[in-house]
Each structure stands twice: as structure tokens, then as C-alpha cells.
Amino acid sequence: MVLKRKVDVMREELEALSEKSRQGGGPSRIEAQHAKGKLTARERIDLLFDEGTFEELDAFVQHRATEFGMADRKYLGDAVVTGFGKIAGRVTFAFAQDFTVIGGTLSEVVAQKICKVMDLAANSGAPVVGLIDSGGARIQEGIDSLAGYSAIFQRNVRYSGVVPQISAMLGPAAGGAVYSPALTDFIMMVRGTGQLYITGPDVVKAATGEVVSHEELGGAEAHATKSGVCQFVWESEQECLEQIRRLLSFLPQNNMEEPPRQQSQDDPERRDRGLLHVVPDNPNQPYDMMDIILQVIDDGDFMEVHELYARNIIVGFARFDGRPVGIVAQQPDHLAGLLDINASTKAARFIRFCDAFNVPLVTFIDVPGYMPGTVQEYGGIIKHGAKLLFAYAEATVPKISVLVRKAYGGAYIAMSSKNLKGDVNYAWPTGQVAVMGAEGAVNIVYRDQIRSDADPEAKRAELIEEYERLFMNPYVAASRGLIDDVIDPADTRPKIIRALEMLDNKRETLPPKKHGSIPL
């Protein structure tokens, strides 16, 4: 009889324990997870990371609770899988909540595991991705679970603007659990399974009498179109995880690095004469700003952020000659591209993210002003609109703008104007800069002259035409240095690329301070 060496026994024990940890809550709970159309935590990790690169941490950690029968409900690794690996060859950290283990609830040690991986990510200067699928705080652990959430929130805030933080809602999150995703840079949700709410439908019904389903209350559609809480909605977990990889391809590893350049096959000198025909002759006629954006960026590859929310403004990531940029643009096809509360907040948040991570900003402008009305005024358009001013003025990354059509009043100032330290401000010949539209200006400035004329309407039309010719063309602004160049629309792409090249080594610093006081 051959006796096993001690080291062989120990190896077998390691393999057995490792396999037990990989099983999470066990085969029956894995089957239940699959029956809901959901992947397990480790299946998600495998899809997120480059094959074979993920290194798990704390696979043998167990909770220490004993009350309420918890002493008999211990699982290796508890309810979260944590570790690091590579995405497109770049180091990335992640934690994936495991719903098969006690409903993915947050225990003291689960929080410790998450905090450890967040600390490692920040100290290593690499992004952190949270894959959320949890029943919330573990009630059996009481205050220890709540303290765990507090520790996670503290790190979300401390590392904000230091490393990119992305949350993917692949299951439920309720109560205090929703605030960690809300503190991260981007939230992705899977339609039909990802849910976020402070209080669930039962509590809502008991408190207010309102009857609402889980999906109506906190599903992807609600948060993408109404609350603006989530930036991306995807149809499946597989698509969501692939899009996280895509999003990271536009971003630097941390705030001390530049965004990663890619080799572009799209000619940097490419001109597009089709752009000459995008803007209608009628200044009040809508058109789709996406027709311009997709033509000038590399290969038409645009990752729109907040696509379904505040659609009067467009934000998202693209590349020019391989350089990642953040794009901000009015959408004349929706609410005439007016700035309202939601659009201002949406754009300001995106601009501040880009500035934090050294992503240059390219702005396409066609804005007739801020949205009028009591709903906007009572809702705080003054303070919310000021967020956009604050964000552009604060940003020190390269700022390039293209005035496509209108830029009126305070909205002109807000949209990366020269006086907010825009670096390069271009205009198409169709661009108009003014305090207000010609008709409104004429009605005020020439009121008496129009009233006294024998044919007031003919006189008004004559004065409007004269006002547009003398005061609303881009050459007036160019004559004062507020527009750097009036360009042929066909040259937009090469002009932007040359400006980005020129600004490659831009250095601008703000006065020493703890932080600014943005109007919240």
C-alpha cells in the first residue's frame, strides 16, 4: 500500500475546497438562477474578462454570524466573487455579487471583500467594475451589514475621479444597496432583470396606496427615460458585459493617464461634402445632429451615453484619428435642442467625468436658449442650468467646439464658449451668435418703428432680414475673436483632428482649493 505524501493530501484538499467555493450556493440554486434567465457571478466574470486572466481573491472567506441559524449557513467566499484580471489586455478589478448565496445579501465580510478590491484598484490605478445582483443588507447581521455599506460608499466617494467606476445592474438592488451604484461613474442595466429602488412595491403600496410593479418602479426603462439614474440599457447580460468592455476602451486606467489611442483606418484628412446639406435653410426646421456626429468621427463609432434621457442633448464617446473624445451636442430634432433642467444636468455630469479622466471635449452647438416656463423656473432651471456653465468653465481638458447653427443668449455662453476658456471655437457659415433670435430682437429694438410704418408686417420682415445679415452671422463673433475660424462644413473632421493634435500637451491648472461649490 502506497501512502500519499502529505503535500498530495493538502493539494487534494485545496482542490476540493476551491471547487466548493466555485459552486457558490450549490447546484440547485445555480439552476434556480438560470431558470430566471440570469447568469451566475462566475459566469459573468468569465464573460467580462479576457479568457483565463481572472485571479480570484478571498475565495475562502466565510461570514462570522451565528444568530438566526446563520452558523449553519456558511459558504466559502460568501455572497460575492472578487478579484482582478485583464480586459483587452489592461488590468481591471471587479466584484460580482452571488445571488445563489443567501440571495447575494451584503454581510460584514462581503463588504470587506468589496472594500479590499476597491482599495487594490485605486492603489493600482485601474478601473473597478461592480456586477450587482443582491437582496440588499443581510438582515441577520443587522448593523454590521449597514456599516459595510457605509464603508463601500466611502470608497466610492474617495476614489471618484481617481479610477473609473462602473456598475452593472444584473439583478435587484434595494434600499441602501442602490447608493453605491449611484455614486459610480456609469450604471448599466439589463432590461427585465436589473432593478433599483429605495423602497419596493409592497412598501410603496403600504405608505402611499400606489400599486406599481418592480419593473415599473425601478426597472431599466424607468431609470433610463424618467429618473436618469442609469446611462445604458441592454437587452441581455452578455450584451451588457460586452459593452462594459467597449466603454473601458475609451477610458484611461486612472486620472493620471491619458485615454488609450487606437490605430485608426479612417483617413484623418477625410472631407465630407454631404455635411453641406444637413442644416436646413429654414432656421426653425429640425434636423438630426447625429447625421453630423457620425460623419465626422472615426468609422461612425459612437457610444452614446444616456441615450434615452433628456434627448434634447447628446453626450457620448467617440474617436478622432484614434484619440478618444467626449462629445456634447444639441439635438435640434428633440425640443429644438433647448437646454432644460434634465439636459443641463446630463451634460454637466458627463463633462465633469471627461475632465476628471483627461478625455478631450468636442461640442457641436445648435441651441436657441434655455427652456421657458413655470415648470422649469420652479424646478430650478437657474441652478441646474448653472451646472453646465460650471462644468465647462471648470474643465481643463482640451475643449473644441463647432457652432453648427444657433447659439443664443445665456445658452451660447454655457456651450463651451470662448469666454469659458474654450480652446478652439469653430463655426460653420450657417452659425448664428446673438442675444436672442432675430424676430425677438427686432420686436424689441424696432418696436416703435414697426408700429408707425404703413405696412408693419412688411417692415418687420425687412428689419429681421437686415438684423440677420448684420448681426447674426458668425463673422461678427469672429471679428471679436470669439470664433477662431469659420470653416467649410466639409472640413470639420480634419479641422477637429488638427486642433486635437495641437492641444495634445495642453496644461491648465485651477487655483489651489479643496473643491469648488457646484450648484447642486
Side-chain angles (χ1 to χ4, degrees):
M1 179 178 175
V2 178
L3 295 176
K4 288 185 178 179
R5 295 177 61 212
K6 188 175 181 180
V7 67
D8 293 326
V9 173
M10 294 172 71
R11 276 192 63 195
E12 288 176 3
E13 181 184 24
L14 171 61
E15 290 173 2
L17 289 173
S18 297
E19 179 57 30
K20 187 177 180 181
S21 177
R22 284 192 290 270
Q23 286 297 310
S28 63
R29 289 192 175 90
I30 291 174
E31 286 179 20
Q33 181 83 344
H34 288 161
K36 296 174 186 174
K38 294 161 65 177
L39 301 174
T40 66
R42 284 180 173 79
E43 288 169 343
R44 291 162 176 165
I45 288 287
D46 287 343
L47 287 172
L48 177 64
F49 286 94
D50 297 348
E51 187 175 355
T53 65
F54 183 72
E55 296 290 334
E56 187 172 350
L57 302 172
D58 290 330
F60 304 119
V61 165
Q62 292 179 298
H63 71 74
R64 295 183 283 272
T66 56
E67 287 93 351
F68 307 105
M70 292 302 291
D72 300 321
R73 298 180 67 191
K74 290 181 180 284
Y75 299 86
L76 293 177
D78 208 333
V80 69
V81 178
T82 62
F84 62 93
K86 291 186 177 180
I87 293 179
R90 298 196 298 164
V91 172
T92 306
F93 290 78
F95 61 90
Q97 293 175 323
D98 188 350
F99 201 83
T100 71
V101 176
I102 318 178
T105 51
L106 190 99
S107 66
E108 178 186 17
V109 297
V110 165
Q112 289 171 354
K113 287 181 66 173
I114 292 172
C115 287
K116 179 190 285 189
V117 85
M118 292 175 76
D119 288 339
L120 282 169
N123 293 336
S124 304
V128 60
V129 178
L131 307 180
I132 312 300
D133 187 4
S134 170
R138 189 168 296 174
I139 298 171
Q140 296 91 332
E141 294 198 22
I143 194 67
D144 290 332
S145 178
L146 297 181
Y149 275 125
S150 302
I152 294 169
F153 301 162
Q154 175 64 32
R155 285 162 174 79
N156 287 134
V157 173
R158 179 176 290 275
Y159 302 144
S160 179
V162 177
V163 294
Q165 301 179 55
I166 300 170
S167 298
M169 309 310 301
L170 308 176
V178 304
Y179 285 116
S180 178
L183 290 167
T184 60
D185 299 307
F186 298 100
I187 295 177
M188 296 193 174
M189 298 186 73
V190 174
R191 201 184 301 274
T193 56
Q195 293 165 355
L196 281 159
Y197 38 68
I198 297 294
T199 54
D202 293 339
V203 177
V204 170
K205 183 179 180 181
T208 69
E210 187 179 4
V211 177
V212 63
S213 71
H214 289 273
E215 194 65 19
E216 289 170 335
L217 180 63
E221 194 70 23
H223 286 309
T225 62
K226 296 176 182 177
S227 72
V229 166
C230 88
Q231 286 80 23
F232 300 95
V233 176
W234 309 112
E235 298 300 322
S236 69
E237 291 191 30
Q238 290 87 345
E239 185 181 18
C240 179
L241 296 166
E242 182 59 38
Q243 292 299 324
I244 291 174
R245 293 174 59 91
R246 181 186 177 203
L247 175 58
L248 287 170
S249 75
F250 290 100
L251 308 181
Q253 290 288 87
N254 56 68
N255 64 334
M256 303 302 289
E257 293 186 7
E258 299 297 316
R261 287 196 64 177
Q262 294 186 359
Q263 191 69 35
S264 174
Q265 302 304 313
D266 198 343
D267 183 4
E269 295 298 318
R270 174 171 57 81
R271 302 176 77 251
D272 189 341
R273 297 197 62 79
L275 294 173
L276 298 169
H277 309 293
V278 174
V279 179
D281 290 336
N282 181 347
N284 297 317
Q285 185 177 334
Y287 63 94
D288 190 350
M289 184 66 81
M290 290 296 292
D291 291 341
I292 295 173
I293 294 171
L294 295 177
Q295 286 301 315
V296 298
I297 62 177
D298 288 359
D299 304 308
D301 181 19
F302 182 56
M303 187 169 194
E304 188 168 357
V305 177
H306 259 146
E307 179 181 0
L308 304 175
Y309 181 72
R311 290 169 46 230
N312 37 325
I313 202 159
I314 298 166
V315 299
F317 297 103
R319 294 182 181 86
F320 281 94
D321 195 26
R323 289 181 179 81
V325 302
I327 287 181
V328 182
Q330 262 75 44
Q331 177 52 288
D333 213 20
H334 188 81
L335 298 177
L338 282 161
L339 288 173
D340 60 5
I341 290 169
N342 292 343
S344 298
T345 302
K346 167 181 167 177
R349 190 176 192 276
F350 180 76
I351 291 162
R352 297 192 91 210
F353 173 84
C354 289
D355 188 50
F357 289 102
N358 310 312
V359 180
L361 290 163
V362 177
T363 304
F364 294 89
I365 305 162
D366 186 353
V367 59
Y370 282 93
M371 180 78 76
T374 57
V375 171
Q376 290 291 308
E377 294 294 350
Y378 297 165
I381 184 64
I382 293 171
K383 68 177 178 182
H384 294 296
K387 292 176 185 176
L388 187 57
L389 284 160
F390 193 106
Y392 268 123
E394 180 188 44
T396 59
V397 292
K399 291 181 285 191
I400 299 165
S401 71
V402 180
L403 173 57
V404 175
R405 189 164 65 174
K406 301 185 185 80
Y408 293 164
Y412 152 71
I413 300 170
M415 293 301 296
S416 195
S417 65
K418 181 62 68 179
N419 296 106
L420 293 187
K421 305 203 77 173
D423 294 298
V424 179
N425 296 73
Y426 292 126
W428 286 5
T430 48
Q432 298 178 335
V433 182
V435 174
M436 63 174 65
E439 186 172 349
V442 165
N443 287 339
I444 293 171
V445 176
Y446 298 108
R447 181 188 303 127
D448 295 338
Q449 190 174 338
I450 292 170
R451 284 176 180 171
S452 62
D453 195 88
D455 188 347
E457 290 307 313
K459 188 64 176 177
R460 179 183 285 108
E462 176 191 333
L463 291 169
I464 287 172
E465 183 181 348
E466 180 181 299
Y467 187 90
E468 288 179 342
R469 178 172 52 83
L470 295 177
F471 300 110
M472 295 190 65
N473 62 71
Y475 304 104
V476 176
S479 73
R480 289 160 173 78
L482 300 177
I483 294 294
D484 294 300
D485 194 9
V486 181
I487 64 172
D488 184 334
D491 292 329
T492 303
R493 172 177 165 83
K495 289 282 189 180
I496 291 173
I497 288 173
R498 290 170 200 166
L500 287 167
E501 288 175 350
M502 178 270 291
L503 293 164
D504 251 350
N505 294 315
K506 179 188 175 183
R507 295 292 180 267
E508 181 184 343
T509 57
L510 299 173
K513 55 184 172 179
K514 190 172 183 180
H515 55 71
S517 182
I518 188 170
L520 296 175

